[in-house]
Amino acid sequence: MVSERLTYVTPLGMAFVDAATGRRVSDGLAVTVDGTPTRANRVGVFIVPHIAGLAAAERGAGDDSYWASLPVEARVRVEVDDSLGRFLPFGFDADVPARGLV
C-alpha cells in the first residue's frame, strides 16, 4: 500500500526575547512582514505561513536536502512595534525561507 505524505514549510517563524529576562515576548507586539500584519501563536512564535512568490518553497519536505537546494528565496522587511511601550520600535530584513526561528 502506498500512502502519500504532504509536507509544508512555513517560510518564516520569529520569536522575540527580552534580553533582561530571557523570556519570549509576544503580548503587545505589532509585527508586520512586508506591511502585512501577523500574530503570535499560543507559544509566542510569530508565524508567516504565506509570502508572495514563495509558493514553490512552501511545498517542500523541510529536510536537509530541501535546505541544501532551495527552489526560491527572497528577502522581506520585518517591522516590530510594542504597543505597551516596553521596547523601542525596530525593523530588519530577513532572508526567507528561514530554517528554524529568526
Side-chain angles (χ1 to χ4, degrees):
M1 180 173 159
V2 176
S3 63
E4 289 187 41
R5 180 176 178 198
L6 298 175
T7 58
Y8 179 80
V9 176
T10 300
L12 183 60
M14 300 170 286
F16 299 97
V17 178
D18 183 336
T21 65
R23 293 186 174 178
R24 277 190 193 159
V25 177
S26 59
D27 62 312
L29 295 186
V31 179
T32 61
V33 175
D34 283 347
T36 302
T38 186
R39 291 188 289 169
N41 65 15
R42 64 183 180 350
V43 295
V45 174
F46 290 83
I47 296 172
V48 184
H50 302 290
I51 296 175
L54 289 183
E58 294 171 2
R59 292 185 299 269
D63 57 6
D64 288 338
S65 62
Y66 166 85
W67 291 104
S69 59
L70 290 170
V72 63
E73 297 177 73
R75 178 165 284 174
V76 295
R77 182 70 184 169
V78 178
E79 297 286 341
V80 183
D81 188 35
D82 178 17
S83 66
L84 301 177
R86 301 162 297 181
F87 309 104
L88 292 172
F90 68 98
F92 61 94
D93 294 325
D95 293 326
V96 291
R99 188 174 194 170
L101 292 175
V102 172

Coordinates of all heavy atoms in Angstrom, one line a residue:
M1 N 0.8 -1.2 0.0 CA 0.0 0.0 0.0 C 0.9 1.2 0.0 O 1.8 1.4 0.8 CB -0.9 0.0 1.2 CG -1.8 1.2 1.3 SD -2.9 0.9 2.8 CE -3.3 2.5 3.1
V2 N 0.6 2.2 -0.9 CA 1.3 3.4 -1.0 C 0.5 4.5 -0.3 O -0.7 4.7 -0.6 CB 1.6 3.8 -2.5 CG1 2.3 5.1 -2.6 CG2 2.4 2.7 -3.1
S3 N 1.1 5.2 0.6 CA 0.4 6.4 1.1 C 1.2 7.6 0.8 O 2.4 7.6 0.6 CB 0.3 6.2 2.7 OG 1.6 6.2 3.2
E4 N 0.4 8.7 0.6 CA 1.0 10.0 0.3 C 1.3 10.7 1.6 O 0.5 10.7 2.5 CB 0.1 10.8 -0.6 CG 0.0 10.2 -2.0 CD -0.8 11.1 -2.9 OE1 -0.6 12.4 -2.8 OE2 -1.6 10.6 -3.6
R5 N 2.3 11.5 1.5 CA 2.7 12.4 2.7 C 2.8 13.8 2.1 O 3.7 14.0 1.3 CB 3.9 11.9 3.3 CG 4.3 12.7 4.5 CD 5.5 12.2 5.2 NE 5.8 13.1 6.3 CZ 7.0 13.1 6.9 NH1 7.9 12.3 6.6 NH2 7.2 14.0 7.9
L6 N 2.0 14.7 2.5 CA 2.1 16.1 2.1 C 2.9 16.8 3.2 O 2.6 16.7 4.4 CB 0.7 16.7 2.0 CG -0.1 16.0 0.9 CD1 -1.5 16.7 0.9 CD2 0.5 16.2 -0.5
T7 N 3.8 17.6 2.8 CA 4.6 18.4 3.8 C 4.5 19.9 3.4 O 4.2 20.2 2.2 CB 6.1 18.0 3.8 OG1 6.6 18.1 2.5 CG2 6.2 16.6 4.2
Y8 N 4.7 20.7 4.3 CA 4.5 22.2 4.1 C 5.6 22.8 5.0 O 5.8 22.5 6.1 CB 3.1 22.6 4.6 CG 2.9 24.1 4.5 CD1 2.6 24.6 3.2 CD2 3.0 24.9 5.6 CE1 2.4 26.0 3.1 CE2 2.8 26.3 5.4 CZ 2.5 26.8 4.2 OH 2.3 28.2 4.1
V9 N 6.3 23.8 4.4 CA 7.3 24.5 5.1 C 6.8 26.0 5.3 O 6.5 26.6 4.3 CB 8.7 24.5 4.2 CG1 9.7 25.4 4.9 CG2 9.2 23.1 4.1
T10 N 6.8 26.4 6.5 CA 6.4 27.8 6.8 C 7.7 28.6 6.5 O 8.7 28.4 7.1 CB 6.0 27.9 8.2 OG1 4.8 27.1 8.4 CG2 5.6 29.4 8.6
P11 N 7.6 29.6 5.6 CA 8.8 30.4 5.3 C 9.4 31.2 6.4 O 10.6 31.4 6.3 CB 8.3 31.3 4.1 CG 7.0 30.9 3.8 CD 6.4 30.0 4.9
L12 N 8.7 31.6 7.4 CA 9.2 32.5 8.4 C 8.5 32.3 9.7 O 7.3 32.4 9.8 CB 9.1 33.9 7.9 CG 9.8 35.0 8.9 CD1 11.3 34.7 9.0 CD2 9.5 36.4 8.3
G13 N 9.3 32.0 10.7 CA 8.8 32.0 12.1 C 9.8 32.8 13.0 O 11.0 32.7 12.8
M14 N 9.2 33.7 13.8 CA 10.0 34.6 14.6 C 9.7 34.5 16.1 O 8.5 34.5 16.4 CB 9.9 36.0 14.1 CG 10.2 36.2 12.7 SD 9.7 37.9 12.1 CE 8.0 37.6 11.9
A15 N 10.7 34.6 16.9 CA 10.4 34.7 18.3 C 11.3 35.9 18.8 O 12.4 36.1 18.5 CB 10.8 33.4 19.1
F16 N 10.6 36.7 19.7 CA 11.3 37.9 20.2 C 11.5 37.6 21.7 O 10.6 37.2 22.4 CB 10.5 39.1 20.0 CG 10.3 39.4 18.5 CD1 9.1 39.0 17.9 CD2 11.2 40.0 17.8 CE1 8.9 39.2 16.5 CE2 11.0 40.2 16.4 CZ 9.9 39.8 15.8
V17 N 12.8 37.9 22.2 CA 13.2 37.6 23.5 C 13.6 38.8 24.2 O 14.4 39.6 23.7 CB 14.3 36.5 23.5 CG1 14.8 36.2 24.9 CG2 13.9 35.3 22.8
D18 N 13.1 39.0 25.5 CA 13.5 40.1 26.3 C 14.9 39.8 26.8 O 15.1 38.8 27.5 CB 12.5 40.3 27.5 CG 12.8 41.4 28.4 OD1 14.0 41.9 28.4 OD2 11.9 41.9 29.0
A19 N 15.9 40.6 26.5 CA 17.3 40.4 26.9 C 17.4 40.4 28.4 O 18.3 39.7 29.0 CB 18.2 41.4 26.3
A20 N 16.6 41.2 29.2 CA 16.7 41.3 30.6 C 16.2 40.0 31.3 O 16.8 39.6 32.3 CB 15.9 42.5 31.1
T21 N 15.1 39.4 30.8 CA 14.5 38.3 31.4 C 14.8 36.9 30.7 O 14.7 35.9 31.3 CB 13.0 38.4 31.5 OG1 12.4 38.4 30.2 CG2 12.6 39.7 32.2
G22 N 15.2 37.0 29.5 CA 15.4 35.8 28.7 C 14.1 35.1 28.3 O 14.1 34.0 27.7
R23 N 13.0 35.7 28.5 CA 11.7 35.2 28.1 C 11.2 35.7 26.8 O 11.5 36.9 26.4 CB 10.7 35.5 29.2 CG 11.0 34.8 30.5 CD 9.9 35.0 31.4 NE 10.1 34.2 32.6 CZ 9.4 34.3 33.7 NH1 8.3 35.0 33.7 NH2 9.7 33.5 34.7
R24 N 10.4 34.8 26.1 CA 9.8 35.3 24.8 C 8.8 36.4 25.2 O 8.1 36.3 26.2 CB 9.1 34.1 24.2 CG 10.0 33.3 23.3 CD 9.2 32.3 22.5 NE 10.1 31.4 21.9 CZ 9.8 30.2 21.5 NH1 8.5 29.8 21.6 NH2 10.7 29.4 21.0
V25 N 8.7 37.3 24.2 CA 7.7 38.4 24.4 C 6.9 38.4 23.1 O 7.4 38.4 22.0 CB 8.4 39.8 24.5 CG1 7.4 40.9 24.5 CG2 9.3 39.8 25.7
S26 N 5.5 38.4 23.3 CA 4.7 38.5 22.1 C 3.5 39.4 22.4 O 3.0 40.1 21.5 CB 4.1 37.1 21.7 OG 3.4 36.5 22.7
D27 N 3.1 39.5 23.7 CA 1.9 40.3 24.0 C 2.3 41.8 23.8 O 3.4 42.3 24.1 CB 1.5 40.1 25.5 CG 2.6 40.5 26.5 OD1 3.7 40.0 26.3 OD2 2.3 41.2 27.4
G28 N 1.4 42.5 23.1 CA 1.6 43.9 22.8 C 2.5 44.2 21.6 O 2.6 45.3 21.2
L29 N 3.1 43.2 21.0 CA 3.9 43.4 19.8 C 3.1 43.4 18.6 O 2.2 42.6 18.4 CB 5.0 42.3 19.7 CG 6.1 42.3 20.8 CD1 7.1 41.3 20.4 CD2 6.7 43.6 21.0
A30 N 3.3 44.5 17.7 CA 2.7 44.5 16.4 C 3.8 44.2 15.4 O 4.7 45.0 15.3 CB 2.1 45.9 16.2
V31 N 3.7 43.1 14.7 CA 4.7 42.6 13.8 C 4.1 42.6 12.4 O 3.1 42.0 12.2 CB 5.2 41.2 14.2 CG1 6.3 40.8 13.2 CG2 5.8 41.3 15.6
T32 N 4.8 43.3 11.5 CA 4.4 43.2 10.1 C 5.5 42.6 9.3 O 6.7 42.8 9.6 CB 4.0 44.6 9.5 OG1 5.1 45.4 9.6 CG2 2.8 45.2 10.3
V33 N 5.2 41.9 8.2 CA 6.2 41.4 7.2 C 5.8 41.9 5.9 O 4.7 41.6 5.4 CB 6.2 39.9 7.3 CG1 7.1 39.3 6.2 CG2 6.6 39.3 8.6
D34 N 6.6 42.8 5.3 CA 6.3 43.5 4.1 C 5.0 44.2 4.2 O 4.2 44.1 3.2 CB 6.4 42.5 2.9 CG 7.8 42.2 2.4 OD1 8.7 42.9 2.9 OD2 8.0 41.3 1.6
G35 N 4.7 44.8 5.3 CA 3.5 45.5 5.5 C 2.2 44.7 5.9 O 1.2 45.3 6.2
T36 N 2.3 43.4 5.9 CA 1.2 42.5 6.3 C 1.3 42.2 7.8 O 2.3 41.6 8.2 CB 1.2 41.2 5.4 OG1 1.1 41.6 4.1 CG2 0.0 40.4 5.8
P37 N 0.3 42.5 8.5 CA 0.3 42.1 10.0 C 0.3 40.6 10.2 O -0.3 39.8 9.4 CB -1.0 42.7 10.5 CG -1.6 43.5 9.5 CD -1.0 43.1 8.2
T38 N 1.0 40.2 11.3 CA 1.0 38.8 11.7 C 0.7 38.7 13.2 O 0.9 39.7 13.9 CB 2.3 38.1 11.3 OG1 2.2 36.7 11.6 CG2 3.5 38.7 12.0
R39 N 0.3 37.6 13.6 CA 0.1 37.4 15.1 C 0.9 36.2 15.6 O 1.2 35.3 14.9 CB -1.4 37.1 15.3 CG -2.3 38.4 15.0 CD -3.7 38.2 15.5 NE -4.3 37.2 14.5 CZ -5.5 36.6 14.7 NH1 -6.2 36.9 15.8 NH2 -6.0 35.8 13.8
A40 N 1.1 36.2 16.9 CA 1.8 35.1 17.5 C 0.9 33.9 17.8 O -0.3 34.1 18.0 CB 2.4 35.6 18.9
N41 N 1.4 32.7 17.7 CA 0.7 31.5 18.1 C 0.7 31.4 19.6 O 1.2 32.3 20.3 CB 1.2 30.3 17.4 CG 2.6 29.9 17.8 OD1 3.2 30.4 18.8 ND2 3.2 29.0 17.0
R42 N 0.1 30.3 20.1 CA 0.0 30.1 21.6 C 1.3 30.0 22.4 O 1.3 30.2 23.6 CB -0.9 29.0 21.9 CG -0.5 27.6 21.5 CD -1.5 26.6 21.8 NE -1.4 25.2 21.6 CZ -0.6 24.5 20.9 NH1 0.4 25.1 20.3 NH2 -0.6 23.2 20.7
V43 N 2.4 29.7 21.7 CA 3.7 29.7 22.3 C 4.6 30.9 22.1 O 5.8 30.9 22.3 CB 4.5 28.4 22.0 CG1 3.7 27.1 22.5 CG2 4.7 28.3 20.5
G44 N 4.0 32.0 21.5 CA 4.7 33.2 21.4 C 5.5 33.3 20.1 O 6.4 34.1 20.1
V45 N 5.3 32.5 19.1 CA 6.0 32.5 17.9 C 5.2 33.1 16.8 O 4.0 32.7 16.6 CB 6.5 31.1 17.4 CG1 7.1 31.1 16.1 CG2 7.4 30.5 18.5
F46 N 5.7 34.1 16.2 CA 5.0 34.8 15.0 C 5.3 34.0 13.8 O 6.5 33.9 13.4 CB 5.5 36.2 14.9 CG 5.1 37.1 16.0 CD1 5.8 37.2 17.2 CD2 3.9 37.9 15.8 CE1 5.3 38.0 18.2 CE2 3.5 38.8 16.9 CZ 4.2 38.8 18.1
I47 N 4.3 33.4 13.2 CA 4.5 32.6 12.0 C 3.9 33.3 10.8 O 2.8 33.8 10.8 CB 3.8 31.2 12.2 CG1 4.4 30.5 13.4 CG2 3.8 30.4 11.0 CD1 3.7 29.2 13.8
V48 N 4.7 33.3 9.7 CA 4.2 33.8 8.5 C 4.1 32.7 7.5 O 5.0 32.3 6.9 CB 5.2 34.9 8.0 CG1 4.7 35.6 6.7 CG2 5.5 35.9 9.0
P49 N 2.9 32.1 7.3 CA 2.7 30.9 6.5 C 2.8 31.1 5.0 O 3.2 30.2 4.3 CB 1.3 30.4 6.9 CG 0.6 31.7 7.3 CD 1.6 32.6 7.9
H50 N 2.5 32.3 4.5 CA 2.5 32.5 3.0 C 3.2 33.9 2.7 O 2.8 34.9 3.3 CB 1.1 32.5 2.4 CG 0.3 31.3 2.7 ND1 0.6 30.1 2.1 CD2 -0.7 31.0 3.5 CE1 -0.2 29.1 2.6 NE2 -1.0 29.7 3.4
I51 N 4.1 33.8 1.9 CA 4.8 35.0 1.4 C 4.8 35.0 -0.1 O 5.1 34.0 -0.7 CB 6.3 35.1 2.0 CG1 6.3 35.1 3.5 CG2 7.0 36.2 1.4 CD1 7.6 35.1 4.2
A52 N 4.4 36.2 -0.6 CA 4.3 36.3 -2.1 C 5.5 35.8 -2.8 O 6.6 36.2 -2.4 CB 3.9 37.7 -2.5
G53 N 5.3 35.0 -3.8 CA 6.4 34.5 -4.6 C 7.1 33.3 -4.1 O 8.1 32.8 -4.7
L54 N 6.7 32.8 -2.9 CA 7.4 31.6 -2.3 C 6.6 30.3 -2.3 O 6.9 29.4 -1.6 CB 7.8 31.9 -0.9 CG 9.0 33.0 -0.7 CD1 9.3 33.1 0.8 CD2 10.2 32.6 -1.5
A55 N 5.6 30.3 -3.1 CA 4.7 29.1 -3.1 C 5.6 27.8 -3.4 O 5.3 26.8 -2.7 CB 3.6 29.2 -4.2
A56 N 6.5 27.8 -4.3 CA 7.3 26.6 -4.5 C 8.2 26.2 -3.3 O 8.3 25.1 -3.0 CB 8.3 26.9 -5.7
A57 N 8.6 27.2 -2.5 CA 9.4 26.9 -1.3 C 8.5 26.4 -0.2 O 9.0 25.7 0.7 CB 10.1 28.2 -0.9
E58 N 7.3 26.7 -0.2 CA 6.4 26.2 0.8 C 6.0 24.8 0.6 O 5.5 24.1 1.6 CB 5.1 27.1 0.9 CG 5.4 28.5 1.3 CD 4.2 29.5 1.1 OE1 3.1 29.0 0.7 OE2 4.4 30.7 1.4
R59 N 6.2 24.2 -0.6 CA 5.9 22.8 -0.8 C 7.1 22.0 -0.8 O 7.6 21.6 -1.9 CB 5.2 22.7 -2.2 CG 3.8 23.3 -2.2 CD 3.1 23.1 -3.5 NE 3.8 23.7 -4.7 CZ 3.6 24.9 -5.2 NH1 2.7 25.7 -4.6 NH2 4.2 25.3 -6.2
G60 N 7.7 21.8 0.3 CA 8.9 21.0 0.5 C 8.9 20.2 1.7 O 8.0 20.3 2.5
A61 N 9.8 19.3 1.8 CA 9.9 18.3 2.9 C 10.5 19.0 4.1 O 10.3 18.5 5.2 CB 10.7 17.1 2.5
G62 N 11.3 20.0 4.0 CA 11.9 20.6 5.1 C 13.1 19.8 5.7 O 13.6 20.1 6.7
D63 N 13.5 18.8 4.9 CA 14.6 18.0 5.4 C 15.9 18.7 4.9 O 16.0 19.7 4.3 CB 14.5 16.6 4.8 CG 14.4 16.5 3.3 OD1 14.5 17.6 2.6 OD2 14.1 15.4 2.8
D64 N 17.1 18.0 5.2 CA 18.4 18.6 4.8 C 18.5 18.8 3.3 O 19.1 19.8 2.9 CB 19.5 17.6 5.3 CG 19.7 17.7 6.8 OD1 19.2 18.7 7.4 OD2 20.2 16.7 7.4
S65 N 18.0 17.9 2.5 CA 18.2 18.1 1.0 C 17.3 19.3 0.6 O 17.7 20.0 -0.4 CB 17.8 16.8 0.3 OG 16.4 16.5 0.5
Y66 N 16.2 19.5 1.2 CA 15.4 20.7 0.8 C 16.2 21.9 1.1 O 16.3 22.8 0.3 CB 14.1 20.7 1.7 CG 13.4 22.0 1.6 CD1 12.5 22.3 0.6 CD2 13.6 23.0 2.6 CE1 11.8 23.5 0.6 CE2 12.9 24.2 2.6 CZ 12.0 24.5 1.6 OH 11.4 25.7 1.5
W67 N 16.8 22.0 2.3 CA 17.5 23.3 2.7 C 18.8 23.4 1.9 O 19.3 24.5 1.7 CB 17.8 23.3 4.2 CG 16.5 23.5 4.9 CD1 15.8 22.5 5.6 CD2 15.8 24.7 5.0 NE1 14.7 23.1 6.1 CE2 14.6 24.4 5.8 CE3 15.9 26.0 4.5 CZ2 13.7 25.4 6.1 CZ3 15.0 27.0 4.9 CH2 13.9 26.6 5.6
A68 N 19.3 22.3 1.3 CA 20.6 22.4 0.6 C 20.3 23.0 -0.8 O 21.3 23.5 -1.4 CB 21.2 21.0 0.4
S69 N 19.1 22.9 -1.3 CA 18.8 23.4 -2.7 C 17.4 24.0 -2.7 O 16.5 23.4 -3.3 CB 18.9 22.3 -3.7 OG 18.0 21.2 -3.4
L70 N 17.3 25.2 -2.1 CA 16.0 25.8 -2.0 C 15.5 26.2 -3.4 O 16.3 26.7 -4.3 CB 16.1 27.1 -1.2 CG 16.3 26.9 0.3 CD1 16.7 28.2 0.9 CD2 15.1 26.3 0.9
P71 N 14.2 26.0 -3.7 CA 13.7 26.3 -5.0 C 13.6 27.8 -5.3 O 13.7 28.2 -6.5 CB 12.3 25.6 -5.0 CG 12.0 25.5 -3.6 CD 13.2 25.4 -2.9
V72 N 13.4 28.6 -4.3 CA 13.3 30.0 -4.5 C 13.6 30.7 -3.1 O 13.3 30.1 -2.1 CB 11.9 30.4 -5.0 CG1 10.8 30.0 -4.0 CG2 11.8 31.9 -5.3
E73 N 14.2 31.8 -3.2 CA 14.5 32.6 -1.9 C 14.1 34.0 -2.1 O 14.0 34.5 -3.3 CB 16.0 32.5 -1.6 CG 16.5 31.1 -1.3 CD 18.0 31.1 -1.1 OE1 18.4 31.5 0.0 OE2 18.7 30.6 -1.9
A74 N 13.9 34.7 -1.0 CA 13.5 36.2 -1.1 C 14.0 36.9 0.2 O 14.4 36.2 1.1 CB 12.0 36.3 -1.3
R75 N 13.8 38.1 0.2 CA 14.1 38.9 1.4 C 12.9 39.7 1.7 O 12.3 40.3 0.8 CB 15.3 39.9 1.1 CG 15.6 40.7 2.3 CD 17.0 41.4 2.2 NE 17.9 40.3 2.6 CZ 19.3 40.4 2.5 NH1 19.8 41.6 2.1 NH2 20.1 39.5 2.8
V76 N 12.5 39.8 3.0 CA 11.3 40.5 3.4 C 11.7 41.5 4.5 O 12.8 41.3 5.1 CB 10.2 39.5 4.0 CG1 9.7 38.7 2.9 CG2 10.7 38.7 5.1
R77 N 10.9 42.5 4.6 CA 11.1 43.5 5.7 C 10.2 43.2 6.8 O 9.0 43.1 6.7 CB 10.8 44.9 5.1 CG 11.1 46.0 6.1 CD 12.6 46.2 6.4 NE 12.8 47.2 7.4 CZ 14.0 47.4 8.0 NH1 15.0 46.7 7.6 NH2 14.1 48.4 8.9
V78 N 10.8 43.1 8.0 CA 10.0 42.9 9.3 C 10.1 44.2 10.1 O 11.1 44.7 10.3 CB 10.6 41.7 10.1 CG1 9.8 41.5 11.4 CG2 10.6 40.4 9.2
E79 N 8.9 44.6 10.5 CA 8.8 45.8 11.4 C 8.1 45.4 12.7 O 7.1 44.7 12.6 CB 8.0 46.9 10.7 CG 8.6 47.5 9.4 CD 9.8 48.3 9.7 OE1 10.0 48.9 10.8 OE2 10.6 48.5 8.7
V80 N 8.7 45.8 13.8 CA 8.1 45.5 15.1 C 7.9 46.7 16.0 O 8.8 47.6 16.1 CB 9.1 44.5 15.9 CG1 8.5 44.1 17.2 CG2 9.4 43.3 15.0
D81 N 6.7 46.8 16.6 CA 6.4 47.9 17.4 C 5.7 47.4 18.7 O 4.9 46.4 18.6 CB 5.4 48.9 16.7 CG 5.2 50.2 17.5 OD1 6.1 50.6 18.1 OD2 4.1 50.7 17.4
D82 N 6.1 47.9 19.8 CA 5.5 47.5 21.1 C 4.4 48.5 21.6 O 4.8 49.6 22.0 CB 6.6 47.4 22.1 CG 6.1 46.9 23.5 OD1 5.0 46.4 23.6 OD2 6.9 47.1 24.5
S83 N 3.2 48.1 21.5 CA 2.1 49.0 21.9 C 2.1 49.2 23.4 O 1.4 50.1 23.9 CB 0.7 48.4 21.4 OG 0.5 47.2 22.1
L84 N 2.8 48.4 24.2 CA 2.8 48.6 25.6 C 4.0 49.5 26.0 O 4.2 49.7 27.2 CB 2.9 47.2 26.3 CG 1.8 46.3 26.0 CD1 2.0 44.9 26.7 CD2 0.4 46.9 26.4
G85 N 4.8 49.9 25.1 CA 5.9 50.9 25.4 C 7.1 50.4 26.1 O 7.9 51.1 26.6
R86 N 7.3 49.1 26.1 CA 8.5 48.5 26.8 C 9.7 48.5 26.0 O 10.8 48.6 26.5 CB 8.2 47.0 27.2 CG 7.0 46.9 28.1 CD 6.5 45.5 28.1 NE 6.0 45.2 26.7 CZ 5.6 44.0 26.3 NH1 5.5 43.0 27.2 NH2 5.2 43.8 25.1
F87 N 9.6 48.4 24.7 CA 10.7 48.3 23.8 C 10.6 49.3 22.6 O 9.5 49.7 22.2 CB 10.7 46.9 23.1 CG 10.6 45.8 24.1 CD1 9.5 45.1 24.3 CD2 11.7 45.4 24.9 CE1 9.4 44.0 25.2 CE2 11.6 44.4 25.9 CZ 10.4 43.7 26.0
L88 N 11.7 49.8 22.1 CA 11.8 50.7 21.0 C 11.3 50.0 19.8 O 11.6 48.8 19.6 CB 13.2 51.3 20.8 CG 13.7 52.2 21.9 CD1 15.1 52.5 21.7 CD2 12.8 53.4 22.0
P89 N 10.7 50.7 18.8 CA 10.3 50.0 17.6 C 11.6 49.7 16.8 O 12.6 50.5 16.9 CB 9.5 51.1 16.9 CG 9.6 52.3 17.6 CD 10.2 52.0 19.0
F90 N 11.6 48.7 16.0 CA 12.7 48.4 15.2 C 12.3 47.6 14.0 O 11.1 47.1 13.9 CB 13.8 47.6 16.0 CG 13.3 46.2 16.4 CD1 13.7 45.1 15.7 CD2 12.6 46.0 17.5 CE1 13.3 43.8 16.0 CE2 12.2 44.7 17.9 CZ 12.6 43.6 17.2
G91 N 13.2 47.4 13.0 CA 12.9 46.7 11.8 C 14.2 46.0 11.4 O 15.3 46.4 11.7
F92 N 14.0 44.9 10.5 CA 15.1 44.2 10.0 C 14.7 43.5 8.7 O 13.5 43.3 8.5 CB 15.7 43.2 11.0 CG 14.8 42.2 11.5 CD1 14.8 40.9 10.8 CD2 14.0 42.4 12.6 CE1 13.9 39.9 11.3 CE2 13.1 41.4 13.0 CZ 13.1 40.2 12.4
D93 N 15.7 43.2 7.9 CA 15.4 42.4 6.7 C 15.7 40.9 7.0 O 16.7 40.6 7.7 CB 16.3 42.8 5.6 CG 16.0 44.2 5.1 OD1 14.8 44.6 5.1 OD2 16.9 44.9 4.7
A94 N 14.9 40.0 6.6 CA 15.0 38.6 6.8 C 15.0 37.8 5.5 O 14.2 38.1 4.6 CB 13.9 38.1 7.7
D95 N 16.0 36.9 5.3 CA 16.0 36.1 4.1 C 15.0 34.9 4.4 O 15.1 34.3 5.5 CB 17.4 35.5 3.9 CG 18.4 36.6 3.5 OD1 17.9 37.6 2.8 OD2 19.6 36.5 3.9
V96 N 14.2 34.6 3.4 CA 13.2 33.6 3.5 C 13.3 32.6 2.3 O 13.6 33.1 1.2 CB 11.8 34.2 3.7 CG1 11.6 34.8 5.0 CG2 11.4 35.1 2.6
P97 N 12.9 31.4 2.5 CA 12.5 30.8 3.8 C 13.7 30.7 4.7 O 14.9 30.6 4.3 CB 12.1 29.4 3.4 CG 12.6 29.1 2.0 CD 12.9 30.4 1.4
A98 N 13.4 30.7 6.0 CA 14.4 30.6 7.0 C 14.3 29.3 7.8 O 13.2 29.0 8.2 CB 14.3 31.8 8.0
R99 N 15.4 28.6 8.0 CA 15.4 27.4 8.7 C 15.4 27.7 10.2 O 16.3 28.4 10.7 CB 16.6 26.5 8.3 CG 16.5 25.2 8.9 CD 17.6 24.3 8.4 NE 17.4 22.9 8.7 CZ 18.1 21.9 8.2 NH1 19.1 22.1 7.4 NH2 17.8 20.7 8.5
G100 N 14.4 27.2 10.9 CA 14.4 27.5 12.4 C 13.8 28.9 12.6 O 13.3 29.5 11.7
L101 N 13.8 29.3 13.9 CA 13.3 30.6 14.2 C 14.3 31.7 14.0 O 15.5 31.5 14.2 CB 12.9 30.6 15.7 CG 11.7 29.7 16.1 CD1 11.5 29.8 17.6 CD2 10.4 30.2 15.4
V102 N 13.7 32.8 13.6 CA 14.5 34.1 13.4 C 14.4 34.8 14.7 O 13.3 34.9 15.3 CB 14.0 34.9 12.2 CG1 14.7 36.2 12.2 CG2 14.3 34.1 10.9

